[in-house]
Amino acid sequence: MKIACIGGGPAGLYFALSMKMRDPRHDITVFERSKAGSSFGWGITFEPRLLQKLYRNDPESARAIEQAAFVWHEQFINIRGERILYDGGRDMYNFNRPDMARLLTARARHLGVRIEYGHEVLSASQLPEADLILAADGANSRIRQANPNFGTDIRVGRDKYIWLGTDKIFDTFTFHFVQSSGGWLWAATYGVGSNLSTFVVQTSPETWTTLGFDTMQPSDSLALLEELFKDQLEGHRLMGQVGEVGNARWLNFRTVSNQRWHDGKVVLAGDSAHTTHFSIGQGTGLAIEDAIALADNVHRCDDLELALESYEQQRRAEIRPAQSKARLSGQWFENLSRYIALEPHQFAVLLHARCSPLLPPLPPRLFYQLQRASQEVVIVRKLRKRHRPVVKRALPSARCQLPERAAVRAPSTRSSRLLCELDVGQHAVVVGLGHSYGAGHAHRGGP
């Protein structure tokens, strides 16, 4: 096939190399409007599950990606002077986006893909004849905008955000909540390399206007943000895109959806087809999974229309859970005023649970109590199953059973070590678990 890929980001490049992996006879060209080496962006986050998919698809590029990754294991919240661990125990892989683009570019070229930089494509009619055209040119896709048959819907979020970098290295993912004279701002920070970190700031439109960001030049915005987050930055600087202050722009997140993902021989992938709120960190991963699925379906089906229809149905079903999580996560932050008055530990638990559909309709403190109770029930069941043989051996009667009415008394979740006392008749068995309450429960403490 002769294939044209519009957009030299992760989706376009990974689709191109994936097709070449499946059949090196394909004639593939990637058209990128930016100049070579000028890829924009800061952090890209991968879960281990995605890395496993990359290894199955192309072990060579997967190995290079894993070796280049900056890995962190824990997630913290800083609020009102407290540092709270709210998630941990799993690896997350992070990259500087320009580095990822260079890595995928090198792999695609090695496989025989042509890449034309400085070539902006405004409509499919500009392209040479092709059997398949992939529009992977982002949320503001020119190809998609020029074709009303996709039925595009764009919903603009309420909050303002700005995607920055810093030369301070954050070795864990952390949410920093800062109260200013105009209201609350919060930043998500995580390392993406040996000398860079992502620093995404978000705030309500009211706070944004009150602090004067609506009338500031980019350099003034960065200076004020450095002052507001001085305790977190510790003297380090904030940077706009690729180090340019002028590219530091405040935005509103745009949720893009389409009634159709393909029209004729033109197909959408990545942000041109769908966007997911950045607060769940899955946008790039979903785009690469689109590329793999599209390559699989095109390679498997002789009929292009059937291949594109199969791809669309498959990916719509697969991304639905992530889209639901992203919608709820974005809404949680837009309604921060509903939760910000909670005690820090309670706030951390609800931040961790922000993708629950039960959270918006319930009073925050009631949800917290229900969340805590549900975790305690899980612990009781695990203890009954795990320690019933131990209890039997410890008690004088072989017939003694751990009764269903066994009472569990757990100390406050302020402790990072759970001690449960199971009352069994006149006997007591004390069990210590060297881990936390479980998913959804936060813990105070240092790194």
Side-chain angles (χ1 to χ4, degrees):
M1 295 180 68
K2 189 170 184 178
I3 302 172
C5 300
I6 316 304
L13 289 169
Y14 204 78
F15 173 71
L17 71 85
S18 295
M19 288 300 292
K20 276 289 191 179
M21 289 284 296
R22 285 155 178 76
D23 190 340
R25 296 173 299 172
H26 291 312
D27 181 356
I28 305 175
T29 303
V30 175
F31 298 93
E32 168 56 42
R33 66 176 180 175
S34 301
K35 296 178 181 179
S38 61
S39 178
F40 293 93
W42 287 104
I44 291 176
T45 301
F46 283 178
E47 294 182 346
R49 176 184 59 83
L50 177 61
L51 192 61
Q52 293 169 5
K53 288 187 176 182
L54 299 185
Y55 267 105
R56 289 195 295 269
N57 186 69
D58 177 25
E60 185 167 332
S61 62
R63 193 174 302 111
I65 288 170
E66 184 175 23
Q67 291 173 352
F70 185 92
V71 183
W72 45 261
H73 312 277
E74 298 171 318
Q75 300 182 38
F76 289 88
I77 297 172
N78 283 337
I79 184 169
R80 297 192 182 94
E82 294 199 40
R83 178 174 169 85
I84 303 171
L85 171 66
Y86 84 101
D87 195 10
R90 59 189 179 120
D91 291 343
M92 294 296 290
Y93 298 87
N94 303 272
F95 313 86
N96 187 20
R97 191 179 187 277
D99 291 343
M100 171 67 73
R102 284 190 288 270
L103 189 155
L104 295 180
T105 295
R107 178 60 173 155
R109 279 179 163 163
H110 177 75
L111 292 170
V113 175
R114 291 188 302 277
I115 302 175
E116 295 189 10
Y117 290 100
H119 193 137
E120 185 171 19
V121 180
L122 301 179
S123 70
S125 62
Q126 291 180 243
L127 295 169
E129 187 61 31
D131 301 307
L132 174 64
I133 298 172
L134 170 65
D137 48 344
N140 298 315
S141 170
R142 302 294 182 87
I143 299 294
R144 189 196 64 223
Q145 291 176 18
N147 188 342
N149 293 333
F150 289 115
T152 305
D153 178 70
I154 299 176
R155 300 188 180 186
V156 180
R158 182 175 182 273
D159 280 358
K160 309 294 289 190
Y161 76 96
I162 186 168
W163 205 287
L164 304 171
T166 177
D167 54 2
K168 177 180 177 178
I169 307 305
F170 290 93
D171 57 3
T172 62
F173 181 96
T174 305
F175 279 117
H176 309 270
F177 291 84
V178 172
Q179 188 172 22
S180 71
S181 59
W184 286 90
L185 302 92
W186 52 101
T189 63
Y190 53 93
V192 295
S194 60
N195 58 357
L196 287 173
S197 294
T198 290
F199 201 100
V200 187
V201 180
Q202 187 176 350
T203 191
S204 69
E206 293 83 9
T207 297
W208 182 74
T209 302
T210 300
L211 293 175
F213 287 115
D214 56 330
T215 60
M216 286 184 189
Q217 295 296 316
S219 58
D220 296 329
S221 288
L222 293 189
L224 179 54
L225 289 172
E226 287 174 348
E227 175 63 25
L228 291 169
F229 289 96
K230 62 183 179 182
D231 292 340
Q232 290 75 27
L233 289 167
E234 297 179 324
H236 291 267
R237 64 191 178 104
L238 292 175
M239 298 174 280
Q241 295 290 340
V242 292
E244 298 180 15
V245 172
N247 281 333
R249 296 184 298 134
W250 287 95
L251 301 169
N252 294 79
F253 186 79
R254 292 152 53 88
T255 300
V256 175
S257 61
N258 293 276
Q259 294 177 6
R260 294 173 54 85
W261 287 14
H262 71 282
D263 182 53
K265 61 184 178 181
V266 181
V267 63
L268 308 177
D271 283 353
S272 65
H274 53 81
T275 59
T276 53
H277 197 269
F278 56 83
S279 60
I280 68 167
Q282 294 187 19
T284 300
L286 293 176
I288 291 177
E289 288 178 334
D290 284 353
I292 296 172
L294 180 58
D296 282 342
N297 281 280
V298 172
H299 181 69
R300 184 175 62 248
C301 300
D302 293 331
D303 186 292
L304 181 62
E305 175 63 25
L306 290 178
L308 299 185
E309 184 64 31
S310 175
Y311 154 73
E312 180 174 341
Q313 290 182 4
Q314 174 188 339
R315 289 303 292 153
R316 281 190 186 275
E318 290 173 347
I319 70 171
R320 194 169 293 122
Q323 288 182 315
S324 176
K325 288 174 58 179
R327 176 178 55 81
L328 291 165
S329 180
Q331 290 175 354
W332 192 92
F333 284 104
E334 289 186 347
N335 290 279
L336 186 75
S337 59
R338 188 170 184 256
Y339 310 104
I340 199 66
L342 293 170
E343 186 268 334
H345 170 80
Q346 296 174 338
F347 179 83
V349 170
L350 267 61
L351 174 58
H352 186 275
R354 65 187 181 278
C355 297
S356 168
L358 295 177
L359 184 51
L362 292 177
R365 286 183 174 82
L366 174 59
F367 182 91
Y368 170 76
Q369 295 298 332
L370 292 173
Q371 183 83 349
R372 179 176 177 178
S374 69
Q375 295 302 324
E376 290 177 350
V377 169
V378 170
I379 290 170
V380 171
R381 289 173 178 168
K382 288 182 178 180
L383 287 172
R384 284 173 175 163
K385 182 178 180 180
R386 185 178 303 173
H387 298 286
R388 189 186 302 268
V390 176
V391 173
K392 284 183 178 180
R393 290 193 298 268
L395 297 177
S397 172
R399 295 189 303 272
C400 182
Q401 301 290 328
L402 183 64
E404 292 300 318
R405 59 182 177 82
V408 176
R409 295 196 299 272
S412 167
T413 55
R414 294 172 184 268
S415 171
S416 61
R417 180 176 178 86
L418 174 63
L419 296 176
C420 288
E421 180 176 293
L422 305 179
D423 291 327
V424 188
Q426 296 178 347
H427 304 275
V429 180
V430 179
V431 182
L433 301 183
H435 54 74
S436 65
Y437 257 168
H441 282 267
H443 310 278
R444 286 186 179 85

